[in-house]
mmCIF file of all heavy atoms in Angstrom:
data_model
loop_
_atom_site.group_PDB
_atom_site.id
_atom_site.type_symbol
_atom_site.label_atom_id
_atom_site.label_comp_id
_atom_site.label_asym_id
_atom_site.label_seq_id
_atom_site.Cartn_x
_atom_site.Cartn_y
_atom_site.Cartn_z
ATOM 1 N N PHE A 9 114.400 100.041 98.638
ATOM 2 C CA PHE A 9 113.616 98.830 98.336
ATOM 3 C C PHE A 9 112.550 99.044 97.262
ATOM 4 O O PHE A 9 111.639 98.298 97.199
ATOM 5 C CB PHE A 9 113.022 98.269 99.602
ATOM 6 C CG PHE A 9 112.725 96.794 99.519
ATOM 7 C CD1 PHE A 9 113.675 95.855 99.236
ATOM 8 C CD2 PHE A 9 111.437 96.316 99.752
ATOM 9 C CE1 PHE A 9 113.387 94.505 99.134
ATOM 10 C CE2 PHE A 9 111.125 95.009 99.630
ATOM 11 C CZ PHE A 9 112.118 94.048 99.371
ATOM 12 N N SER A 10 112.660 100.046 96.426
ATOM 13 C CA SER A 10 111.669 100.282 95.379
ATOM 14 C C SER A 10 111.632 99.153 94.442
ATOM 15 O O SER A 10 110.532 98.648 94.081
ATOM 16 C CB SER A 10 111.953 101.621 94.609
ATOM 17 O OG SER A 10 111.930 102.697 95.518
ATOM 18 N N VAL A 11 112.786 98.727 93.971
ATOM 19 C CA VAL A 11 112.751 97.594 92.960
ATOM 20 C C VAL A 11 112.372 96.285 93.627
ATOM 21 O O VAL A 11 111.495 95.573 93.120
ATOM 22 C CB VAL A 11 114.208 97.485 92.328
ATOM 23 C CG1 VAL A 11 114.256 96.260 91.442
ATOM 24 C CG2 VAL A 11 114.539 98.726 91.542
ATOM 25 N N GLY A 12 112.927 95.995 94.802
ATOM 26 C CA GLY A 12 112.601 94.744 95.504
ATOM 27 C C GLY A 12 111.118 94.606 95.828
ATOM 28 O O GLY A 12 110.488 93.605 95.646
ATOM 29 N N SER A 13 110.499 95.727 96.301
ATOM 30 C CA SER A 13 109.070 95.695 96.643
ATOM 31 C C SER A 13 108.187 95.534 95.376
ATOM 32 O O SER A 13 107.170 94.852 95.451
ATOM 33 C CB SER A 13 108.675 96.970 97.412
ATOM 34 O OG SER A 13 108.676 98.134 96.616
ATOM 35 N N THR A 14 108.649 96.051 94.275
ATOM 36 C CA THR A 14 107.883 95.912 92.982
ATOM 37 C C THR A 14 107.895 94.420 92.642
ATOM 38 O O THR A 14 106.857 93.836 92.314
ATOM 39 C CB THR A 14 108.486 96.725 91.906
ATOM 40 O OG1 THR A 14 108.450 98.134 92.322
ATOM 41 C CG2 THR A 14 107.772 96.583 90.607
ATOM 42 N N PHE A 15 109.031 93.768 92.696
ATOM 43 C CA PHE A 15 109.130 92.331 92.348
ATOM 44 C C PHE A 15 108.303 91.534 93.402
ATOM 45 O O PHE A 15 107.556 90.627 93.021
ATOM 46 C CB PHE A 15 110.548 91.890 92.298
ATOM 47 C CG PHE A 15 111.236 92.145 90.998
ATOM 48 C CD1 PHE A 15 111.668 93.417 90.692
ATOM 49 C CD2 PHE A 15 111.384 91.187 90.034
ATOM 50 C CE1 PHE A 15 112.277 93.724 89.471
ATOM 51 C CE2 PHE A 15 111.974 91.430 88.792
ATOM 52 C CZ PHE A 15 112.440 92.730 88.526
ATOM 53 N N PHE A 16 108.501 91.786 94.674
ATOM 54 C CA PHE A 16 107.840 91.039 95.739
ATOM 55 C C PHE A 16 106.300 91.138 95.593
ATOM 56 O O PHE A 16 105.625 90.108 95.689
ATOM 57 C CB PHE A 16 108.267 91.572 97.124
ATOM 58 C CG PHE A 16 107.631 90.860 98.206
ATOM 59 C CD1 PHE A 16 108.118 89.616 98.585
ATOM 60 C CD2 PHE A 16 106.627 91.435 99.000
ATOM 61 C CE1 PHE A 16 107.556 88.890 99.682
ATOM 62 C CE2 PHE A 16 106.038 90.714 100.048
ATOM 63 C CZ PHE A 16 106.513 89.485 100.385
ATOM 64 N N ARG A 17 105.749 92.308 95.309
ATOM 65 C CA ARG A 17 104.341 92.484 95.218
ATOM 66 C C ARG A 17 103.778 91.861 93.899
ATOM 67 O O ARG A 17 102.591 91.743 93.708
ATOM 68 C CB ARG A 17 104.004 93.956 95.256
ATOM 69 C CG ARG A 17 104.228 94.504 96.676
ATOM 70 C CD ARG A 17 104.128 95.981 96.784
ATOM 71 N NE ARG A 17 102.923 96.538 96.202
ATOM 72 C CZ ARG A 17 102.892 97.543 95.344
ATOM 73 N NH1 ARG A 17 104.034 98.190 95.077
ATOM 74 N NH2 ARG A 17 101.771 97.967 94.876
ATOM 75 N N ASN A 18 104.685 91.395 93.022
ATOM 76 C CA ASN A 18 104.255 90.744 91.811
ATOM 77 C C ASN A 18 104.647 89.225 91.831
ATOM 78 O O ASN A 18 104.792 88.644 90.753
ATOM 79 C CB ASN A 18 104.833 91.439 90.629
ATOM 80 C CG ASN A 18 104.043 92.677 90.297
ATOM 81 O OD1 ASN A 18 103.010 92.634 89.675
ATOM 82 N ND2 ASN A 18 104.581 93.825 90.713
ATOM 83 N N GLY A 19 104.778 88.672 93.052
ATOM 84 C CA GLY A 19 104.940 87.246 93.184
ATOM 85 C C GLY A 19 106.343 86.661 93.188
ATOM 86 O O GLY A 19 106.542 85.436 93.201
ATOM 87 N N TRP A 20 107.341 87.519 93.104
ATOM 88 C CA TRP A 20 108.684 87.107 93.088
ATOM 89 C C TRP A 20 109.187 86.918 94.491
ATOM 90 O O TRP A 20 108.764 87.609 95.412
ATOM 91 C CB TRP A 20 109.606 88.084 92.377
ATOM 92 C CG TRP A 20 109.446 88.067 90.899
ATOM 93 C CD1 TRP A 20 108.373 88.301 90.144
ATOM 94 C CD2 TRP A 20 110.490 87.826 89.935
ATOM 95 N NE1 TRP A 20 108.583 88.236 88.863
ATOM 96 C CE2 TRP A 20 109.942 87.940 88.656
ATOM 97 C CE3 TRP A 20 111.864 87.511 90.022
ATOM 98 C CZ2 TRP A 20 110.699 87.766 87.428
ATOM 99 C CZ3 TRP A 20 112.600 87.357 88.889
ATOM 100 C CH2 TRP A 20 111.951 87.426 87.656
ATOM 101 N N GLN A 21 110.151 86.011 94.722
ATOM 102 C CA GLN A 21 110.888 85.967 95.968
ATOM 103 C C GLN A 21 112.001 86.966 95.883
ATOM 104 O O GLN A 21 112.644 87.129 94.837
ATOM 105 C CB GLN A 21 111.449 84.534 96.146
ATOM 106 C CG GLN A 21 112.121 84.313 97.476
ATOM 107 C CD GLN A 21 112.574 82.880 97.669
ATOM 108 O OE1 GLN A 21 112.584 82.066 96.700
ATOM 109 N NE2 GLN A 21 113.031 82.553 98.792
ATOM 110 N N VAL A 22 112.278 87.663 97.000
ATOM 111 C CA VAL A 22 113.269 88.703 96.948
ATOM 112 C C VAL A 22 114.266 88.476 98.116
ATOM 113 O O VAL A 22 113.836 88.273 99.246
ATOM 114 C CB VAL A 22 112.696 90.109 97.095
ATOM 115 C CG1 VAL A 22 113.787 91.181 97.192
ATOM 116 C CG2 VAL A 22 111.713 90.371 95.924
ATOM 117 N N ILE A 23 115.528 88.506 97.786
ATOM 118 C CA ILE A 23 116.623 88.451 98.774
ATOM 119 C C ILE A 23 117.316 89.798 98.706
ATOM 120 O O ILE A 23 117.873 90.160 97.635
ATOM 121 C CB ILE A 23 117.580 87.264 98.494
ATOM 122 C CG1 ILE A 23 116.849 85.918 98.523
ATOM 123 C CG2 ILE A 23 118.766 87.296 99.444
ATOM 124 C CD1 ILE A 23 117.709 84.804 98.031
ATOM 125 N N ALA A 24 117.288 90.591 99.757
ATOM 126 C CA ALA A 24 117.816 91.949 99.753
ATOM 127 C C ALA A 24 118.776 92.178 100.863
ATOM 128 O O ALA A 24 118.687 91.593 101.942
ATOM 129 C CB ALA A 24 116.626 92.919 99.778
ATOM 130 N N ASN A 25 119.655 93.097 100.626
ATOM 131 C CA ASN A 25 120.659 93.476 101.575
ATOM 132 C C ASN A 25 121.066 94.923 101.262
ATOM 133 O O ASN A 25 120.754 95.426 100.159
ATOM 134 C CB ASN A 25 121.856 92.599 101.566
ATOM 135 C CG ASN A 25 122.773 92.825 102.722
ATOM 136 O OD1 ASN A 25 122.424 93.185 103.832
ATOM 137 N ND2 ASN A 25 124.096 92.677 102.516
ATOM 138 N N ASP A 26 121.735 95.580 102.206
ATOM 139 C CA ASP A 26 122.240 96.934 101.900
ATOM 140 C C ASP A 26 123.379 97.181 102.856
ATOM 141 O O ASP A 26 123.399 96.709 104.004
ATOM 142 C CB ASP A 26 121.206 98.001 101.992
ATOM 143 C CG ASP A 26 121.620 99.285 101.348
ATOM 144 O OD1 ASP A 26 121.328 99.405 100.088
ATOM 145 O OD2 ASP A 26 122.230 100.136 101.936
ATOM 146 N N TYR A 27 124.356 97.997 102.392
ATOM 147 C CA TYR A 27 125.471 98.340 103.212
ATOM 148 C C TYR A 27 125.083 99.239 104.392
ATOM 149 O O TYR A 27 125.631 99.134 105.502
ATOM 150 C CB TYR A 27 126.487 99.066 102.352
ATOM 151 C CG TYR A 27 127.702 99.550 103.114
ATOM 152 C CD1 TYR A 27 128.763 98.666 103.437
ATOM 153 C CD2 TYR A 27 127.881 100.889 103.419
ATOM 154 C CE1 TYR A 27 129.883 99.104 104.142
ATOM 155 C CE2 TYR A 27 129.027 101.347 104.204
ATOM 156 C CZ TYR A 27 129.978 100.423 104.495
ATOM 157 O OH TYR A 27 131.036 100.809 105.166
ATOM 158 N N ASN A 28 124.034 100.069 104.154
ATOM 159 C CA ASN A 28 123.572 100.969 105.211
ATOM 160 C C ASN A 28 122.716 100.138 106.154
ATOM 161 O O ASN A 28 121.576 99.816 105.913
ATOM 162 C CB ASN A 28 122.791 102.093 104.594
ATOM 163 C CG ASN A 28 122.306 103.111 105.581
ATOM 164 O OD1 ASN A 28 122.032 102.809 106.728
ATOM 165 N ND2 ASN A 28 122.257 104.370 105.180
ATOM 166 N N ARG A 29 123.277 99.883 107.353
ATOM 167 C CA ARG A 29 122.554 99.014 108.304
ATOM 168 C C ARG A 29 121.231 99.630 108.821
ATOM 169 O O ARG A 29 120.333 98.934 109.161
ATOM 170 C CB ARG A 29 123.445 98.598 109.474
ATOM 171 C CG ARG A 29 123.853 99.788 110.391
ATOM 172 C CD ARG A 29 124.846 99.328 111.461
ATOM 173 N NE ARG A 29 125.268 100.435 112.258
ATOM 174 C CZ ARG A 29 125.202 100.511 113.530
ATOM 175 N NH1 ARG A 29 124.693 99.512 114.174
ATOM 176 N NH2 ARG A 29 125.706 101.568 114.150
ATOM 177 N N TYR A 30 121.198 100.949 108.844
ATOM 178 C CA TYR A 30 119.985 101.630 109.322
ATOM 179 C C TYR A 30 118.843 101.534 108.341
ATOM 180 O O TYR A 30 117.696 101.231 108.733
ATOM 181 C CB TYR A 30 120.290 103.104 109.679
ATOM 182 C CG TYR A 30 121.392 103.229 110.667
ATOM 183 C CD1 TYR A 30 122.586 103.816 110.347
ATOM 184 C CD2 TYR A 30 121.192 102.836 111.991
ATOM 185 C CE1 TYR A 30 123.575 103.923 111.328
ATOM 186 C CE2 TYR A 30 122.161 102.939 112.964
ATOM 187 C CZ TYR A 30 123.416 103.501 112.573
ATOM 188 O OH TYR A 30 124.357 103.611 113.524
ATOM 189 N N THR A 31 119.160 101.686 107.117
ATOM 190 C CA THR A 31 118.094 101.516 106.030
ATOM 191 C C THR A 31 117.637 100.069 106.034
ATOM 192 O O THR A 31 116.472 99.791 106.005
ATOM 193 C CB THR A 31 118.657 101.893 104.645
ATOM 194 O OG1 THR A 31 119.080 103.245 104.693
ATOM 195 C CG2 THR A 31 117.633 101.658 103.534
ATOM 196 N N TYR A 32 118.577 99.133 106.136
ATOM 197 C CA TYR A 32 118.214 97.684 106.147
ATOM 198 C C TYR A 32 117.300 97.423 107.376
ATOM 199 O O TYR A 32 116.311 96.740 107.267
ATOM 200 C CB TYR A 32 119.488 96.869 106.169
ATOM 201 C CG TYR A 32 119.200 95.368 106.261
ATOM 202 C CD1 TYR A 32 118.807 94.649 105.127
ATOM 203 C CD2 TYR A 32 119.246 94.734 107.499
ATOM 204 C CE1 TYR A 32 118.517 93.328 105.200
ATOM 205 C CE2 TYR A 32 118.909 93.393 107.574
ATOM 206 C CZ TYR A 32 118.583 92.703 106.474
ATOM 207 O OH TYR A 32 118.251 91.364 106.533
ATOM 208 N N ALA A 33 117.665 97.916 108.568
ATOM 209 C CA ALA A 33 116.917 97.697 109.739
ATOM 210 C C ALA A 33 115.475 98.263 109.670
ATOM 211 O O ALA A 33 114.530 97.659 110.042
ATOM 212 C CB ALA A 33 117.595 98.273 111.017
ATOM 213 N N LEU A 34 115.386 99.435 109.072
ATOM 214 C CA LEU A 34 114.103 100.099 108.905
ATOM 215 C C LEU A 34 113.175 99.272 107.911
ATOM 216 O O LEU A 34 112.029 98.993 108.235
ATOM 217 C CB LEU A 34 114.243 101.502 108.342
ATOM 218 C CG LEU A 34 112.975 102.256 107.953
ATOM 219 C CD1 LEU A 34 112.082 102.475 109.166
ATOM 220 C CD2 LEU A 34 113.303 103.529 107.251
#
């Protein structure tokens, strides 16, 4: 989530997903 958090913290809306269910849950 490095890219997503960078956008989110700069006012963007972020829709994220990942194949790895454990990373996503964390």
Side-chain angles (χ1 to χ4, degrees):
F9 203 58
S10 299
V11 174
S13 68
T14 299
F15 278 78
F16 181 76
R17 291 171 49 228
N18 282 281
W20 285 60
Q21 185 178 8
V22 177
I23 299 170
N25 190 34
D26 198 87
Y27 178 77
N28 184 326
R29 69 184 174 124
Y30 301 112
T31 300
Y32 178 81
L34 174 64

